[in-house]
Amino acid sequence: MKIPIEVSARHIHLSQQDLEKLFGQGYELKKFKQLTQPSDFAAEETVDIQVGSKSGGKKFDKVRVVGPLREQTQVEISLTDAIGSGTIPPVRLSGNLKNSAEVVLYGPVGQVELEEGLIIAQRHLHCATDEAKELGINNGDAVAVQVGSERPVIFQNVLVRVRDSYKLCMHLDTDEANAAGINKIGEGVIL
Amino acid sequence: MKIPIEVSARHIHLSQQDLEKLFGQGYELKKFKQLTQPSDFAAEETVDIQVGSKSGGKKFDKVRVVGPLREQTQVEISLTDAIGSGTIPPVRLSGNLKNSAEVVLYGPVGQVELEEGLIIAQRHLHCATDEAKELGINNGDAVAVQVGSERPVIFQNVLVRVRDSYKLCMHLDTDEANAAGINKIGEGVIL
Protein backbone atom coordinates (compact mmCIF):
# COMPACT_ATOMS: atom_id res chain seq x y z
CA MET A 1 0.00 0.00 0.00
CA LYS A 2 1.41 3.38 -0.99
CA ILE A 3 1.71 5.89 1.83
CA PRO A 4 0.96 9.47 0.74
CA ILE A 5 3.49 11.98 2.04
CA GLU A 6 2.97 15.62 2.86
CA VAL A 7 5.72 18.07 3.64
CA SER A 8 5.27 20.46 6.54
CA ALA A 9 7.02 23.78 6.19
CA ARG A 10 7.53 25.79 9.37
CA HIS A 11 4.17 26.60 10.95
CA ILE A 12 2.38 27.57 14.15
CA HIS A 13 -0.48 26.21 16.23
CA LEU A 14 -1.99 28.84 18.54
CA SER A 15 -3.85 28.73 21.83
CA GLN A 16 -6.95 30.93 22.24
CA GLN A 17 -5.08 33.12 24.69
CA ASP A 18 -2.06 33.66 22.42
CA LEU A 19 -4.28 34.19 19.37
CA GLU A 20 -5.98 37.06 21.19
CA LYS A 21 -2.68 38.54 22.37
CA LEU A 22 -1.39 38.52 18.79
CA PHE A 23 -4.53 39.45 16.86
CA GLY A 24 -6.85 41.06 19.42
CA GLN A 25 -9.65 40.07 21.77
CA GLY A 26 -12.33 37.86 20.30
CA TYR A 27 -10.32 37.29 17.11
CA GLU A 28 -11.11 34.15 15.10
CA LEU A 29 -8.87 32.37 12.57
CA LYS A 30 -9.98 32.51 8.95
CA LYS A 31 -9.72 29.31 6.95
CA PHE A 32 -7.36 29.61 4.00
CA LYS A 33 -7.06 25.98 2.90
CA GLN A 34 -8.29 22.60 4.11
CA LEU A 35 -5.43 20.19 4.96
CA THR A 36 -5.51 16.43 4.46
CA GLN A 37 -6.29 15.65 8.08
CA PRO A 38 -9.99 16.56 8.21
CA SER A 39 -9.71 18.61 11.40
CA ASP A 40 -6.80 20.75 10.23
CA PHE A 41 -6.67 23.84 8.05
CA ALA A 42 -4.12 26.42 7.00
CA ALA A 43 -5.32 29.77 8.28
CA GLU A 44 -5.12 33.04 6.40
CA GLU A 45 -3.15 34.42 9.34
CA THR A 46 0.63 34.44 9.57
CA VAL A 47 2.89 35.46 12.43
CA ASP A 48 6.51 36.62 12.56
CA ILE A 49 8.72 34.62 14.89
CA GLN A 50 12.08 35.11 16.56
CA VAL A 51 14.16 31.99 17.25
CA GLY A 52 17.20 32.05 19.50
CA SER A 53 18.49 35.01 21.46
CA LYS A 54 16.48 38.20 21.18
CA SER A 55 19.51 40.27 20.19
CA GLY A 56 20.94 37.78 17.67
CA GLY A 57 19.05 34.69 16.61
CA LYS A 58 16.99 34.36 13.46
CA LYS A 59 13.71 35.98 12.51
CA PHE A 60 11.20 34.29 10.21
CA ASP A 61 8.48 36.43 8.75
CA LYS A 62 4.95 35.36 7.85
CA VAL A 63 4.96 31.88 9.34
CA ARG A 64 1.64 30.20 8.57
CA VAL A 65 -0.84 29.54 11.37
CA VAL A 66 -2.50 26.11 11.24
CA GLY A 67 -5.93 25.72 12.83
CA PRO A 68 -7.91 24.75 14.79
CA LEU A 69 -6.76 26.33 18.07
CA ARG A 70 -4.98 24.12 20.59
CA GLU A 71 -4.49 24.00 24.35
CA GLN A 72 -0.91 25.24 24.01
CA THR A 73 0.87 27.26 21.34
CA GLN A 74 3.38 25.20 19.34
CA VAL A 75 5.87 26.43 16.75
CA GLU A 76 7.46 23.90 14.38
CA ILE A 77 10.63 24.69 12.44
CA SER A 78 13.27 22.63 10.66
CA LEU A 79 16.82 22.00 11.84
CA THR A 80 17.95 24.05 8.83
CA ASP A 81 15.89 26.94 10.22
CA ALA A 82 17.36 26.50 13.70
CA ILE A 83 21.04 26.31 12.75
CA GLY A 84 22.66 29.67 13.21
CA SER A 85 19.96 30.94 15.59
CA GLY A 86 21.77 29.89 18.75
CA THR A 87 18.95 27.49 19.67
CA ILE A 88 18.45 23.90 18.56
CA PRO A 89 14.93 22.87 19.59
CA PRO A 90 14.29 19.22 20.48
CA VAL A 91 12.74 16.75 18.03
CA ARG A 92 9.29 16.13 19.47
CA LEU A 93 5.94 14.69 18.64
CA SER A 94 3.24 17.35 18.37
CA GLY A 95 1.88 18.36 21.76
CA ASN A 96 4.90 17.19 23.77
CA LEU A 97 6.28 20.60 24.65
CA LYS A 98 7.76 20.19 28.13
CA ASN A 99 11.27 21.68 28.14
CA SER A 100 11.06 22.51 24.44
CA ALA A 101 12.71 25.73 23.23
CA GLU A 102 11.75 29.35 23.72
CA VAL A 103 10.36 31.48 20.91
CA VAL A 104 8.83 34.93 20.44
CA LEU A 105 5.78 35.55 18.22
CA TYR A 106 4.85 38.92 16.75
CA GLY A 107 1.30 39.60 15.63
CA PRO A 108 -0.39 42.75 14.33
CA VAL A 109 -1.73 43.62 17.81
CA GLY A 110 0.83 42.24 20.26
CA GLN A 111 3.63 39.82 20.92
CA VAL A 112 3.95 36.58 22.89
CA GLU A 113 7.16 35.40 24.55
CA LEU A 114 7.06 31.66 25.15
CA GLU A 115 9.45 29.88 27.52
CA GLU A 116 8.63 26.65 25.70
CA GLY A 117 6.70 25.74 22.55
CA LEU A 118 9.35 25.55 19.82
CA ILE A 119 10.09 22.08 18.41
CA ILE A 120 11.37 20.21 15.39
CA ALA A 121 8.54 17.85 14.46
CA GLN A 122 9.17 14.14 14.79
CA ARG A 123 8.33 12.35 11.57
CA HIS A 124 5.04 10.52 11.92
CA LEU A 125 2.31 8.67 10.09
CA HIS A 126 -1.33 9.59 10.46
CA CYS A 127 -3.59 6.61 10.03
CA ALA A 128 -7.29 5.83 10.37
CA THR A 129 -8.23 2.82 12.51
CA ASP A 130 -9.25 0.68 9.53
CA GLU A 131 -6.13 1.69 7.58
CA ALA A 132 -3.94 0.70 10.55
CA LYS A 133 -5.62 -2.70 10.64
CA GLU A 134 -5.03 -3.19 6.93
CA LEU A 135 -1.38 -2.19 7.29
CA GLY A 136 -0.89 -4.33 10.40
CA ILE A 137 0.33 -1.41 12.49
CA ASN A 138 -0.77 0.06 15.80
CA ASN A 139 -0.88 3.43 17.48
CA GLY A 140 2.54 4.18 18.95
CA ASP A 141 4.46 1.82 16.65
CA ALA A 142 7.68 3.06 15.09
CA VAL A 143 7.88 1.98 11.44
CA ALA A 144 10.39 2.40 8.63
CA VAL A 145 9.20 4.03 5.42
CA GLN A 146 11.07 4.03 2.13
CA VAL A 147 10.78 7.23 0.17
CA GLY A 148 12.16 8.85 -2.96
CA SER A 149 13.52 7.61 -6.23
CA GLU A 150 16.53 9.64 -7.31
CA ARG A 151 17.55 10.28 -3.70
CA PRO A 152 16.12 7.19 -1.99
CA VAL A 153 15.93 7.25 1.79
CA ILE A 154 14.50 4.94 4.42
CA PHE A 155 13.10 6.96 7.30
CA GLN A 156 13.24 4.88 10.45
CA ASN A 157 11.44 5.61 13.69
CA VAL A 158 8.34 7.01 11.97
CA LEU A 159 5.78 7.18 14.76
CA VAL A 160 2.33 5.79 13.96
CA ARG A 161 -0.64 7.81 15.18
CA VAL A 162 -3.99 6.09 14.78
CA ARG A 163 -7.32 7.85 15.19
CA ASP A 164 -10.69 7.24 13.54
CA SER A 165 -10.71 10.74 12.13
CA TYR A 166 -7.19 10.55 10.60
CA LYS A 167 -6.45 9.93 6.96
CA LEU A 168 -3.42 7.90 5.89
CA CYS A 169 -0.50 10.28 5.40
CA MET A 170 3.14 10.54 6.49
CA HIS A 171 4.32 13.98 7.56
CA LEU A 172 7.93 14.98 6.92
CA ASP A 173 9.52 18.33 7.50
CA THR A 174 11.30 20.20 4.73
CA ASP A 175 14.76 18.85 5.62
CA GLU A 176 13.54 15.27 5.47
CA ALA A 177 11.61 15.83 2.25
CA ASN A 178 14.47 17.63 0.55
CA ALA A 179 16.95 14.94 1.61
CA ALA A 180 14.72 12.47 -0.25
CA GLY A 181 14.15 14.76 -3.23
CA ILE A 182 10.46 15.28 -2.47
CA ASN A 183 8.87 18.64 -3.15
CA LYS A 184 5.58 19.22 -1.30
CA ILE A 185 4.00 15.80 -1.88
CA GLY A 186 5.27 12.27 -2.47
CA GLU A 187 4.68 8.70 -1.52
CA GLY A 188 6.43 5.93 0.34
CA VAL A 189 6.16 2.29 1.36
CA ILE A 190 6.24 0.83 4.86
CA LEU A 191 9.03 -1.77 5.08
CA MET B 1 33.48 -0.28 10.63
CA LYS B 2 32.19 3.18 11.45
CA ILE B 3 31.98 5.57 8.50
CA PRO B 4 32.84 9.17 9.39
CA ILE B 5 30.40 11.69 7.95
CA GLU B 6 31.04 15.26 6.93
CA VAL B 7 28.37 17.77 6.02
CA SER B 8 28.89 19.97 2.99
CA ALA B 9 27.25 23.37 3.17
CA ARG B 10 26.80 25.24 -0.14
CA HIS B 11 30.20 25.85 -1.76
CA ILE B 12 31.99 26.59 -5.00
CA HIS B 13 34.81 25.02 -7.01
CA LEU B 14 36.40 27.46 -9.47
CA SER B 15 38.24 27.12 -12.76
CA GLN B 16 41.40 29.19 -13.29
CA GLN B 17 39.59 31.32 -15.86
CA ASP B 18 36.60 32.07 -13.61
CA LEU B 19 38.86 32.69 -10.61
CA GLU B 20 40.64 35.40 -12.59
CA LYS B 21 37.38 36.92 -13.84
CA LEU B 22 36.09 37.15 -10.27
CA PHE B 23 39.27 38.08 -8.40
CA GLY B 24 41.64 39.47 -11.04
CA GLN B 25 44.40 38.26 -13.34
CA GLY B 26 47.00 36.02 -11.75
CA TYR B 27 44.99 35.72 -8.53
CA GLU B 28 45.69 32.67 -6.35
CA LEU B 29 43.41 31.11 -3.73
CA LYS B 30 44.54 31.41 -0.12
CA LYS B 31 44.17 28.32 2.05
CA PHE B 32 41.83 28.86 4.98
CA LYS B 33 41.42 25.29 6.29
CA GLN B 34 42.53 21.81 5.27
CA LEU B 35 39.59 19.47 4.55
CA THR B 36 39.53 15.73 5.27
CA GLN B 37 40.28 14.72 1.69
CA PRO B 38 44.02 15.50 1.51
CA SER B 39 43.80 17.39 -1.78
CA ASP B 40 40.96 19.69 -0.72
CA PHE B 41 40.95 22.89 1.28
CA ALA B 42 38.48 25.61 2.19
CA ALA B 43 39.80 28.84 0.71
CA GLU B 44 39.71 32.22 2.41
CA GLU B 45 37.77 33.51 -0.59
CA THR B 46 33.99 33.63 -0.80
CA VAL B 47 31.74 34.56 -3.73
CA ASP B 48 28.17 35.83 -3.90
CA ILE B 49 25.89 33.80 -6.13
CA GLN B 50 22.53 34.30 -7.81
CA VAL B 51 20.36 31.22 -8.33
CA GLY B 52 17.31 31.27 -10.57
CA SER B 53 16.13 34.15 -12.69
CA LYS B 54 18.22 37.28 -12.58
CA SER B 55 15.26 39.49 -11.73
CA GLY B 56 13.78 37.21 -9.05
CA GLY B 57 15.57 34.10 -7.83
CA LYS B 58 17.61 33.87 -4.67
CA LYS B 59 20.95 35.42 -3.81
CA PHE B 60 23.41 33.79 -1.43
CA ASP B 61 26.22 35.93 -0.08
CA LYS B 62 29.71 34.79 0.87
CA VAL B 63 29.57 31.24 -0.44
CA ARG B 64 32.85 29.49 0.43
CA VAL B 65 35.29 28.60 -2.35
CA VAL B 66 36.85 25.12 -2.04
CA GLY B 67 40.26 24.54 -3.62
CA PRO B 68 42.20 23.41 -5.51
CA LEU B 69 41.07 24.83 -8.87
CA ARG B 70 39.23 22.54 -11.28
CA GLU B 71 38.69 22.24 -15.03
CA GLN B 72 35.17 23.62 -14.73
CA THR B 73 33.46 25.83 -12.17
CA GLN B 74 30.92 23.96 -10.05
CA VAL B 75 28.47 25.40 -7.52
CA GLU B 76 26.80 23.07 -5.02
CA ILE B 77 23.66 24.07 -3.12
CA SER B 78 20.95 22.19 -1.22
CA LEU B 79 17.39 21.61 -2.37
CA THR B 80 16.32 23.87 0.52
CA ASP B 81 18.48 26.60 -1.02
CA ALA B 82 16.99 26.02 -4.46
CA ILE B 83 13.31 26.02 -3.50
CA GLY B 84 11.79 29.41 -4.15
CA SER B 85 14.53 30.44 -6.60
CA GLY B 86 12.69 29.31 -9.70
CA THR B 87 15.42 26.76 -10.48
CA ILE B 88 15.79 23.22 -9.18
CA PRO B 89 19.27 22.00 -10.15
CA PRO B 90 19.80 18.30 -10.85
CA VAL B 91 21.26 15.90 -8.26
CA ARG B 92 24.70 15.10 -9.67
CA LEU B 93 28.01 13.60 -8.78
CA SER B 94 30.77 16.17 -8.65
CA GLY B 95 32.17 16.96 -12.11
CA ASN B 96 29.09 15.77 -14.03
CA LEU B 97 27.84 19.18 -15.11
CA LYS B 98 26.33 18.65 -18.55
CA ASN B 99 22.87 20.24 -18.63
CA SER B 100 23.12 21.26 -14.99
CA ALA B 101 21.58 24.59 -13.95
CA GLU B 102 22.66 28.16 -14.63
CA VAL B 103 24.13 30.38 -11.95
CA VAL B 104 25.75 33.80 -11.68
CA LEU B 105 28.85 34.43 -9.52
CA TYR B 106 29.89 37.85 -8.23
CA GLY B 107 33.47 38.49 -7.15
CA PRO B 108 35.26 41.64 -6.05
CA VAL B 109 36.60 42.27 -9.57
CA GLY B 110 34.00 40.85 -11.92
CA GLN B 111 31.12 38.48 -12.46
CA VAL B 112 30.69 35.16 -14.22
CA GLU B 113 27.43 33.99 -15.81
CA LEU B 114 27.39 30.22 -16.20
CA GLU B 115 24.94 28.40 -18.46
CA GLU B 116 25.68 25.23 -16.47
CA GLY B 117 27.58 24.41 -13.29
CA LEU B 118 24.94 24.49 -10.55
CA ILE B 119 24.09 21.12 -8.94
CA ILE B 120 22.76 19.46 -5.82
CA ALA B 121 25.51 17.06 -4.76
CA GLN B 122 24.75 13.36 -4.91
CA ARG B 123 25.54 11.71 -1.59
CA HIS B 124 28.78 9.76 -1.84
CA LEU B 125 31.44 7.93 0.10
CA HIS B 126 35.13 8.69 -0.33
CA CYS B 127 37.27 5.67 0.27
CA ALA B 128 40.96 4.75 -0.03
CA THR B 129 41.79 1.59 -2.00
CA ASP B 130 42.74 -0.42 1.10
CA GLU B 131 39.66 0.79 2.99
CA ALA B 132 37.44 -0.28 0.08
CA LYS B 133 39.01 -3.74 0.17
CA GLU B 134 38.41 -4.01 3.90
CA LEU B 135 34.78 -2.89 3.49
CA GLY B 136 34.23 -5.18 0.49
CA ILE B 137 33.10 -2.36 -1.75
CA ASN B 138 34.24 -1.09 -5.14
CA ASN B 139 34.45 2.18 -6.99
CA GLY B 140 31.04 2.96 -8.51
CA ASP B 141 29.07 0.80 -6.07
CA ALA B 142 25.89 2.23 -4.58
CA VAL B 143 25.66 1.36 -0.90
CA ALA B 144 23.17 2.01 1.90
CA VAL B 145 24.42 3.77 5.01
CA GLN B 146 22.55 3.99 8.30
CA VAL B 147 22.94 7.30 10.08
CA GLY B 148 21.62 9.13 13.12
CA SER B 149 20.22 8.10 16.46
CA GLU B 150 17.26 10.28 17.43
CA ARG B 151 16.28 10.77 13.77
CA PRO B 152 17.61 7.56 12.23
CA VAL B 153 17.80 7.40 8.45
CA ILE B 154 19.15 4.91 5.96
CA PHE B 155 20.61 6.72 2.98
CA GLN B 156 20.40 4.47 -0.05
CA ASN B 157 22.21 4.99 -3.33
CA VAL B 158 25.37 6.36 -1.68
CA LEU B 159 27.92 6.30 -4.47
CA VAL B 160 31.32 4.84 -3.62
CA ARG B 161 34.36 6.69 -4.94
CA VAL B 162 37.65 4.88 -4.46
CA ARG B 163 41.04 6.50 -4.96
CA ASP B 164 44.41 5.87 -3.27
CA SER B 165 44.52 9.44 -2.04
CA TYR B 166 41.02 9.44 -0.53
CA LYS B 167 40.25 9.05 3.15
CA LEU B 168 37.16 7.18 4.32
CA CYS B 169 34.32 9.69 4.69
CA MET B 170 30.70 10.01 3.58
CA HIS B 171 29.62 13.41 2.34
CA LEU B 172 26.06 14.56 2.92
CA ASP B 173 24.57 17.94 2.16
CA THR B 174 22.86 20.02 4.84
CA ASP B 175 19.35 18.73 4.01
CA GLU B 176 20.46 15.13 4.35
CA ALA B 177 22.41 15.80 7.53
CA ASN B 178 19.60 17.78 9.14
CA ALA B 179 17.05 15.11 8.22
CA ALA B 180 19.20 12.66 10.20
CA GLY B 181 19.82 15.10 13.06
CA ILE B 182 23.54 15.46 12.26
CA ASN B 183 25.24 18.79 12.78
CA LYS B 184 28.56 19.17 10.90
CA ILE B 185 30.00 15.72 11.65
CA GLY B 186 28.62 12.28 12.44
CA GLU B 187 29.10 8.64 11.67
CA GLY B 188 27.26 5.84 9.98
CA VAL B 189 27.41 2.14 9.16
CA ILE B 190 27.27 0.49 5.74
CA LEU B 191 24.38 -2.02 5.67
Side-chain angles (χ1 to χ4, degrees):
Chain A
M1 193 194 293
K2 293 283 184 188
I3 309 293
I5 295 169
E6 284 176 354
V7 183
S8 300
R10 69 181 84 100
H11 66 275
I12 300 174
H13 304 276
L14 289 174
S15 67
Q16 177 76 39
Q17 185 186 11
D18 291 339
L19 172 75
E20 296 195 357
K21 277 188 195 162
L22 295 166
F23 290 91
Q25 218 179 345
Y27 192 89
E28 288 183 21
L29 290 178
K30 296 177 194 68
K31 188 171 181 168
F32 169 61
K33 205 176 70 177
Q34 176 63 44
L35 298 178
T36 301
Q37 299 310 314
S39 64
D40 293 351
F41 61 92
E44 283 184 14
E45 289 76 9
T46 61
V47 167
D48 297 345
I49 65 169
Q50 169 78 26
V51 174
S53 74
K54 283 151 209 171
S55 50
K58 281 166 92 172
K59 192 148 185 262
F60 298 98
D61 292 339
K62 297 192 177 177
V63 179
R64 181 69 59 188
V65 175
V66 170
L69 298 176
R70 294 201 177 178
E71 284 299 305
Q72 192 176 352
T73 293
Q74 173 174 308
V75 180
E76 300 176 38
I77 64 172
S78 70
L79 185 47
T80 292
D81 290 337
I83 287 173
S85 74
T87 291
I88 303 293
V91 177
R92 291 284 181 81
L93 204 62
S94 192
N96 177 13
L97 299 179
K98 196 168 164 146
N99 296 321
S100 59
E102 61 183 358
V103 61
V104 185
L105 287 67
Y106 301 91
V109 168
Q111 74 180 62
V112 171
E113 297 190 18
L114 295 176
E115 288 295 316
E116 58 187 27
L118 181 69
I119 62 171
I120 295 170
Q122 186 183 336
R123 57 182 81 120
H124 57 275
L125 177 70
H126 291 275
C127 195
T129 310
D130 57 342
E131 292 165 336
K133 199 171 282 180
E134 198 177 340
L135 287 161
I137 57 180
N138 296 295
N139 189 54
D141 283 356
V143 297
V145 180
Q146 179 166 44
V147 168
S149 50
E150 193 183 16
R151 295 187 113 182
V153 165
I154 298 169
F155 290 107
Q156 301 175 293
N157 200 17
V158 178
L159 203 92
V160 176
R161 304 178 66 190
V162 180
R163 199 180 285 184
D164 282 343
S165 62
Y166 281 160
K167 235 180 115 176
L168 185 65
C169 191
M170 179 161 83
H171 281 182
L172 297 177
D173 76 3
T174 47
D175 287 339
E176 294 166 327
N178 289 340
I182 292 173
N183 194 353
K184 288 183 186 156
I185 58 165
E187 53 183 30
V189 178
I190 295 179
L191 298 185
Chain B
M1 194 193 293
K2 292 282 184 189
I3 309 294
I5 296 169
E6 284 177 353
V7 182
S8 301
R10 68 181 85 98
H11 65 276
I12 299 174
H13 304 276
L14 290 174
S15 68
Q16 178 76 40
Q17 185 187 9
D18 291 339
L19 172 75
E20 296 195 359
K21 278 189 195 160
L22 295 166
F23 290 92
Q25 219 178 343
Y27 191 90
E28 289 183 20
L29 289 179
K30 295 176 193 70
K31 188 171 181 168
F32 168 62
K33 205 176 70 177
Q34 176 63 45
L35 298 178
T36 301
Q37 299 311 313
S39 64
D40 293 349
F41 62 92
E44 283 184 13
E45 290 75 10
T46 61
V47 167
D48 297 345
I49 64 169
Q50 170 76 27
V51 174
S53 73
K54 284 154 209 169
S55 49
K58 281 167 93 173
K59 192 149 186 262
F60 298 99
D61 293 338
K62 298 192 176 176
V63 179
R64 181 69 58 188
V65 175
V66 170
L69 298 177
R70 293 200 178 179
E71 284 300 305
Q72 193 177 351
T73 294
Q74 173 174 307
V75 180
E76 300 177 38
I77 64 172
S78 71
L79 185 46
T80 292
D81 290 337
I83 287 173
S85 75
T87 290
I88 302 294
V91 177
R92 291 284 182 80
L93 204 62
S94 192
N96 177 13
L97 299 179
K98 198 168 163 149
N99 296 321
S100 58
E102 61 181 0
V103 61
V104 185
L105 288 66
Y106 301 91
V109 169
Q111 73 181 62
V112 171
E113 297 191 17
L114 296 175
E115 289 294 317
E116 57 187 28
L118 180 69
I119 62 171
I120 295 169
Q122 186 184 337
R123 57 182 80 121
H124 57 276
L125 177 70
H126 292 274
C127 195
T129 309
D130 56 342
E131 292 165 335
K133 198 171 281 180
E134 198 176 341
L135 287 161
I137 57 180
N138 296 294
N139 190 53
D141 282 357
V143 296
V145 180
Q146 179 166 42
V147 169
S149 49
E150 193 183 16
R151 294 187 112 183
V153 165
I154 298 168
F155 289 108
Q156 301 176 292
N157 201 17
V158 178
L159 204 93
V160 175
R161 305 179 66 189
V162 179
R163 197 179 287 183
D164 282 344
S165 63
Y166 282 160
K167 233 180 118 177
L168 184 65
C169 191
M170 179 161 83
H171 281 181
L172 298 177
D173 76 3
T174 46
D175 287 339
E176 294 166 328
N178 289 341
I182 292 172
N183 194 353
K184 289 183 184 156
I185 57 164
E187 54 182 31
V189 178
I190 295 179
L191 298 185

